[in-house]
């Protein structure tokens, strides 16, 4: 096979598998050449052998100071492919924007109609047809109140379906990320004595949705040794879910209809930008350590939200203030809102384990301002 003529529109991406000194250079045609390092061949050989990829070695007269053009010594297919399940959802949209092909990975976006996680045979057939090295399971029934009256279906998706995906990933040595929720910490505790929940704290889910998500976490971690769980909260993204929307866009919509809105003021959490959380998930994907199968189960759980905490009523006020709306927010209690599902009184997540290793996400106020500016630009 004749090597492709080098073109200069390469981008360089550090590859964490080979440490800081090596660079992978991605050509637009999707092959990867590199500044050669001996260990690169050893690992790449084994990787490509695993995937029965052609591993073409051309002449090997390589030295780091040569130009990209002369460094075209080894062509390898894409080294990692990613499949995102629940691919038509809010978080999946942000992930696919970040994991686009020029990030050095190939991407499969699988909506429910492409892959229904409740159907084990379809999970096996579709994933075996793609053979992703990384699976991000964003598939879920996320309508918390609807879940109260659809327990069987909710568990089939959020828990049993997660197990199907976990088993395929285990059998095919794929890394797996399961997205979970702050709602697993359902206990309504006194705000004055509360501290953010750590990954090692015992969950106390109080709704069908939160119980199904906790079961999904357990199914994932037990089925697949190379899996992690990312718990987050109150996601708002550019493409809200069909059935659920997101709180920010709901508030913007209701404010157009009513001058006064009643919003609960006794649920403390950290509503987060789906884009920021997706960026954080990409940090985890770039680091092999979190997927180390020898770590214990809780070490494979990561809390990721923007920083700070608030109530939904305070968030609503901040939305309207930033938008210059005069909408009045009347604080009410969860009991007064009287929704079908119980919700945590305090579900602020302690994200220090993630931030110590990868850095802090923006504050919830900064994230909200950025999001609203994005919405205004896209109008
Ligand atoms: N939204 C939030 O505030 C938070 C979400 N999370 C978690 O993050 C993840 C992503 O959330 P988000 O993007 O907001 O959710 P969305 O509701 O936007 O997306 C979920 C996607 O899963 C799909 N889906 C539903 N059932 C199945 C199935 N059986 N097989 C395959 N796909 C299915 C849905 O498809 P369809 O549209 O056809 O139903 C939808 O596109 C979920 O796991 C959620 O529990 C965690 C904390 C907060
Ligand atoms: C629309 C509205 C909601 N609320 C309350 C209801 C609820 O307690 C809170 C948030 O409303 P939402 O409908 O956004 O929320 P909710 O379904 O509670 O959102 C949850 O979604 C799932 C998927 C998660 O994983 C959680 O992290 C959380 O984000 O605000 C009001 O008080 N007034 C209103 O006008």
């Amino acid at each position: 096979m004749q090597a492709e003529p080098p073109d200069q529109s390469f981008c360089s991406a550090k590859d964490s598998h080979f440490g800081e000194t090596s660079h992978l250079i991605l050509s637009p045609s999707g092959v990867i050449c590199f500044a050669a390092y001996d260990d690169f061949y050893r690992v790449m050989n084994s990787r490509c052998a695993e995937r029965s990829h052609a591993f073409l070695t051309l002449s090997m007269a390589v030295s780091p100071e040569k130009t990209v053009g002369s460094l075209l010594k080894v062509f390898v297919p894409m080294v990692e492919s990613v499949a995102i399940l629940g691919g038509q959802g809010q978080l999946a949209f942000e992930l696919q924007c970040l994991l686009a092909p020029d990030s050095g990975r190939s991407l499969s976006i699988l909506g429910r109609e492409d892959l229904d996680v409740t159907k084990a045979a379809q999970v096996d057939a579709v994933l075996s047809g793609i053979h992703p090295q990384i699976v991000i399971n964003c598939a879920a029934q996320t309508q918390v109140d609807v879940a109260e009256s659809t327990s069987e279906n909710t568990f089939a998706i959020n828990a049993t379906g997660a197990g199907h995906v976990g088993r395929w990933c285990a059998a095919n040595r794929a890394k797996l990320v399961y997205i979970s929720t702050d709602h697993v910490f359902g206990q309504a505790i006194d705000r004055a004595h509360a501290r953010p929940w750590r990954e090692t704290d015992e969950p106390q889910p109080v709704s069908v949705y939160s119980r199904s998500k906790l079961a999904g976490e357990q199914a994932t971690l037990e089925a697949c040794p190379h899996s992690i769980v990312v718990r987050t909260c109150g996601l708002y993204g550019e493409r809200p879910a069909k059935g659920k929307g997101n709180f920010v866009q709901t508030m913007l919509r209701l404010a157009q209809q009513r001058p006064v809105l009643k919003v609960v003021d006794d649920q403390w959490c950290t509503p987060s930008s789906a884009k920021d959380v997706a960026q954080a998930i990409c940090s985890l994907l770039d680091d092999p350590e979190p997927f180390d199968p020898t770590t214990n189960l809780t070490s494979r759980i990561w809390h990721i939200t923007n920083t700070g905490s608030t109530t939904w009523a305070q968030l609503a006020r901040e939305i309207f203030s930033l938008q210059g709306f005069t909408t009045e927010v009347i604080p009410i209690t969860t009991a007064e809102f009287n929704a079908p599902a119980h919700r945590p009184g305090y579900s602020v997540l302690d994200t220090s384990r993630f931030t110590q290793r990868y850095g802090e996400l923006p504050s919830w106020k900064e994230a909200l301002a950025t999001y609203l500016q994005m919405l205004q630009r896209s109008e």
Side-chain angles (χ1 to χ4, degrees):
M1 168 179 162
Q2 177 61 34
E4 292 171 65
D7 74 30
Q8 299 312 309
S9 57
F10 284 82
C11 62
S12 167
K14 278 194 189 317
D15 183 288
S16 56
H17 297 281
F18 306 102
E20 290 307 300
T21 53
S22 64
H23 285 268
L24 290 179
I25 300 162
L26 180 67
S27 81
S29 60
V31 294
I32 291 184
C33 60
F34 71 108
Y37 291 81
D38 292 345
D39 62 348
F40 180 83
Y41 283 94
R42 175 177 49 73
V43 178
M44 192 50 77
N45 244 325
S46 65
R47 276 202 202 174
C48 291
E50 267 168 34
R51 298 181 192 87
S52 65
H53 284 160
F55 181 69
L56 304 175
T57 303
L58 309 177
S59 70
M60 282 305 299
V62 179
S63 62
E65 67 277 0
K66 284 191 174 178
T67 63
V68 166
S70 65
L71 277 178
L72 284 179
K73 303 297 179 190
V74 170
F75 287 82
V76 294
M78 288 289 199
V79 289
E80 265 183 347
S81 64
V82 181
I84 301 178
L85 313 186
Q88 296 310 309
Q90 180 176 225
L91 181 59
F93 175 76
E94 302 298 345
L95 283 164
Q96 74 180 74
C97 296
L98 291 167
L99 288 168
D102 63 6
S103 68
R105 294 184 173 100
S106 68
L107 203 50
S108 301
I109 311 297
L110 300 172
R112 186 202 304 239
E113 64 286 353
D114 305 308
L115 184 158
D116 182 332
V117 295
T118 64
K119 297 174 179 169
Q122 189 186 35
V123 169
D124 291 345
V126 172
L127 291 182
S128 298
I130 300 168
H131 251 289
Q133 284 78 51
I134 297 172
V135 176
I136 307 176
N137 185 1
C138 296
Q141 203 291 73
T142 54
Q143 299 188 65
V144 177
D145 289 321
V146 170
E148 288 300 296
S149 55
T150 59
S151 175
E152 189 176 340
N153 181 55
T154 299
F155 269 81
I157 299 165
N158 295 353
T160 311
H164 296 331
V165 175
R167 278 183 289 280
W168 186 89
C169 290
N172 293 277
R173 295 182 61 205
K175 294 178 187 176
L176 171 59
V177 183
Y178 178 78
I179 314 297
S180 190
T181 173
D182 62 313
H183 272 206
V184 298
F185 295 112
Q187 188 186 20
I189 53 180
D190 177 348
R191 167 87 181 102
H193 301 290
R195 63 153 172 77
W197 295 100
R198 300 181 186 123
E199 290 91 348
T200 49
D201 286 329
E202 191 63 33
Q204 309 94 0
V206 290
S207 69
V208 169
Y209 166 73
S210 55
R211 284 193 293 273
S212 74
K213 292 300 292 182
L214 181 59
E217 292 183 6
Q218 291 159 348
T220 299
L221 293 172
E222 286 159 13
C224 177
H226 300 278
S227 63
I228 62 172
V229 166
V230 169
R231 288 182 185 144
T232 189
C233 167
L235 292 179
Y236 52 87
E238 188 172 345
R239 189 176 68 185
K242 279 181 294 191
K244 179 177 171 68
N246 67 50
F247 183 83
V248 178
Q249 295 208 19
T250 300
M251 288 294 112
L252 293 174
R253 175 172 51 80
L254 293 176
Q256 301 300 325
Q257 301 161 9
R258 302 178 217 155
V260 179
L261 291 175
K262 293 182 179 177
V263 186
V264 295
D265 197 31
D266 59 357
Q267 293 172 28
W268 286 89
C269 61
T270 311
S272 296
S273 155
K275 185 183 290 293
D276 289 348
V277 171
Q279 187 70 55
I281 291 168
C282 291
S283 301
L284 288 169
L285 295 182
D286 287 340
D287 181 355
E289 197 166 311
F291 296 90
D292 178 348
T294 61
T295 51
N296 64 47
L297 289 191
T298 48
S299 300
R300 289 159 54 199
I301 298 171
W302 295 84
H303 286 175
I304 297 178
T305 64
N306 287 114
T307 56
S309 62
T310 184
T311 69
W312 297 101
Q314 288 178 12
L315 173 60
R317 284 196 196 96
E318 186 71 12
I319 293 167
F320 301 145
S321 166
L322 289 169
Q323 290 294 97
F325 291 0
T326 57
T327 312
E328 182 189 355
V329 176
I330 297 178
I332 58 173
T333 65
T334 298
E336 286 169 320
F337 189 70
N338 195 28
H342 291 295
R343 284 166 169 88
Y346 183 86
S347 58
V348 178
L349 299 180
D350 180 335
T351 61
S352 55
R353 218 177 119 240
F354 178 87
T355 57
Q356 283 161 12
R357 188 177 176 87
Y358 303 99
E360 271 194 351
L361 274 64
S363 70
W364 71 265
K365 285 191 175 182
E366 291 169 84
L368 177 64
T370 302
Y371 179 73
L372 291 172
Q373 288 159 11
M374 178 279 295
L375 287 183
Q376 278 170 350
R377 283 195 305 272
S378 60
E379 275 174 358

